[in-house]
Amino acid sequence: MSATLMSKTTTTNTTTKRRRGTPATRSEARGAYLFILPALILMVMFLVIPVLMSFTLGFTNARLGAATSPEFVGFTNFLRALRDDPTFWDALRNIMVFVLVVVPLQGGLALVLALLINQKLRGITAFRVLFFMPVVTSMVVVAMLWKFMYQREGLINSLFGFDVDWLNDPSTALPSVIVMSVWQGVGFHMIIWLAGLQTIGQELYEAASIDGANRWQQFREVTLPGLRPTFVFIFITITISAFSLFTQIDVMTSGGPSNATTTLVYHIIQMGSGRGDVGYASALSLIFFMIVLTVTLIQRALTKDED
């Protein structure tokens, strides 16, 4: 009995010492906090504070350079977006079209490229680098190059014999931006798909082959289930990236023609920075946040692994 009690007391003392930590452990903890302190300060300054300010300013009539202090206006800004701002609805329609087209197109094309370059062939690394190069190129540079290509006298019309002003026609402006965005971003998700493919054991394909499965059956029964976690990650990241479309619009079309390419992020920045209507821009940001959050949660629920 006493031996058991002594053993429990020793264990308790040891646990207490571990919780309190030795001087060396405390010193390491202080060092760790010092290392993360700069990143923490930056996150608070450029993430936490702006988010809190958006939640606050969205319910006020704050304006840049206003002589008076912001006043609380309740849900006036939100009602203005829903009832009195046709540009908001144009931007919402455009971004939903962009998301619905880009997410499956870019994800599917990236998977096809990943399957093609997941081969043990000479020079395959060069193809991987070639497909990935647009990703590491600045989006501003890519958008400017494609803007020149889309001009009436540009490369695309010259190559195919068209006579279309791609970015100044409401019927072709948004599809043109979609094509450029897919081309620029497909390489990144190709690499993610490739990483997922390389985690699937070759013995699974060998077993399926022994069972008489053809290439399509192997892809359906082995490859796709093995890529499920990768699929969820890519599906959500492409969606969030598509919703935040801004640079291409700002460089190539400036939201035109006739709001045919205006997006929510572009509209928010125009209202906040361009017109100085900070309160309304903050309200739009909150609406945008709720839309993205809702879509992401729905995606997560649909792709949730029941296992």
Side-chain angles (χ1 to χ4, degrees), residues 117-248:
I117 67 174
N118 189 34
Q119 309 290 331
K120 296 181 180 179
L121 300 175
R122 176 176 293 182
I124 200 66
T125 303
F127 285 99
R128 296 177 183 177
V129 173
L130 183 65
F131 291 139
F132 190 73
M133 281 182 63
V135 179
V136 297
T137 306
S138 170
M139 178 59 79
V140 175
V141 175
V142 172
M144 291 182 66
L145 290 175
W146 278 77
K147 182 178 181 179
F148 291 129
M149 292 169 58
Y150 278 134
Q151 290 179 349
R152 190 178 292 274
E153 298 81 14
L155 179 62
I156 294 178
N157 285 344
S158 299
L159 279 177
F160 299 101
F162 297 147
D163 185 22
V164 181
D165 197 356
W166 298 93
L167 299 179
N168 291 316
D169 187 338
S171 64
T172 59
L174 187 59
S176 300
V177 175
I178 289 174
V179 170
M180 188 277 293
S181 300
V182 170
W183 176 85
Q184 193 274 338
V186 71
F188 173 75
H189 297 99
M190 175 197 70
I191 296 298
I192 305 299
W193 281 122
L194 182 62
L197 287 171
Q198 294 180 349
T199 62
I200 303 175
Q202 290 297 318
E203 63 274 7
L204 297 177
Y205 292 103
E206 294 174 0
S209 179
I210 292 174
D211 289 339
N214 56 32
R215 297 295 295 271
W216 166 248
Q217 291 172 329
Q218 292 179 28
F219 174 76
R220 187 183 61 190
E221 303 296 336
V222 178
T223 304
L224 288 182
L227 290 176
R228 183 178 179 82
T230 308
F231 167 78
V232 174
F233 173 79
I234 288 179
F235 196 43
I236 293 177
T237 54
I238 294 180
T239 302
I240 295 175
S241 177
F243 268 110
S244 61
L245 175 67
F246 170 74
T247 305
Q248 300 95 304

Side-chain angles (χ1 to χ4, degrees), residues 16-207:
T16 303
K17 289 181 180 179
R18 288 178 179 175
R19 289 177 179 174
R20 293 177 179 175
T22 62
T25 304
R26 289 195 294 270
S27 177
E28 292 177 357
R30 286 194 296 268
Y33 287 131
L34 288 175
F35 275 110
I36 67 173
L37 184 60
L40 184 62
I41 292 174
L42 292 175
M43 287 185 62
V44 171
M45 290 179 59
F46 297 103
L47 181 62
V48 177
I49 293 178
V51 169
L52 294 178
M53 290 183 65
S54 294
F55 275 92
T56 303
L57 295 175
F59 298 92
T60 69
N61 61 352
R63 296 189 66 89
L64 288 177
T68 58
S69 300
E71 297 178 358
F72 179 78
V73 295
F75 291 93
T76 301
N77 290 325
F78 299 92
L79 295 176
R80 173 185 168 187
L82 299 176
R83 296 187 309 190
D84 305 324
D85 187 2
T87 304
F88 167 78
W89 292 106
D90 290 338
L92 183 60
R93 182 197 66 237
N94 293 335
I95 199 61
M96 294 306 297
V97 171
F98 187 85
V99 170
L100 291 175
V101 174
V102 167
V103 172
L105 182 60
Q106 186 168 305
L109 182 58
L111 177 58
V112 171
L113 292 177
L115 291 170
L116 290 176
I117 67 174
N118 189 34
Q119 309 290 331
K120 296 181 180 179
L121 300 175
R122 176 176 293 182
I124 200 66
T125 303
F127 285 99
R128 296 177 183 177
V129 173
L130 183 65
F131 291 139
F132 190 73
M133 281 182 63
V135 179
V136 297
T137 306
S138 170
M139 178 59 79
V140 175
V141 175
V142 172
M144 291 182 66
L145 290 175
W146 278 77
K147 182 178 181 179
F148 291 129
M149 292 169 58
Y150 278 134
Q151 290 179 349
R152 190 178 292 274
E153 298 81 14
L155 179 62
I156 294 178
N157 285 344
S158 299
L159 279 177
F160 299 101
F162 297 147
D163 185 22
V164 181
D165 197 356
W166 298 93
L167 299 179
N168 291 316
D169 187 338
S171 64
T172 59
L174 187 59
S176 300
V177 175
I178 289 174
V179 170
M180 188 277 293
S181 300
V182 170
W183 176 85
Q184 193 274 338
V186 71
F188 173 75
H189 297 99
M190 175 197 70
I191 296 298
I192 305 299
W193 281 122
L194 182 62
L197 287 171
Q198 294 180 349
T199 62
I200 303 175
Q202 290 297 318
E203 63 274 7
L204 297 177
Y205 292 103
E206 294 174 0

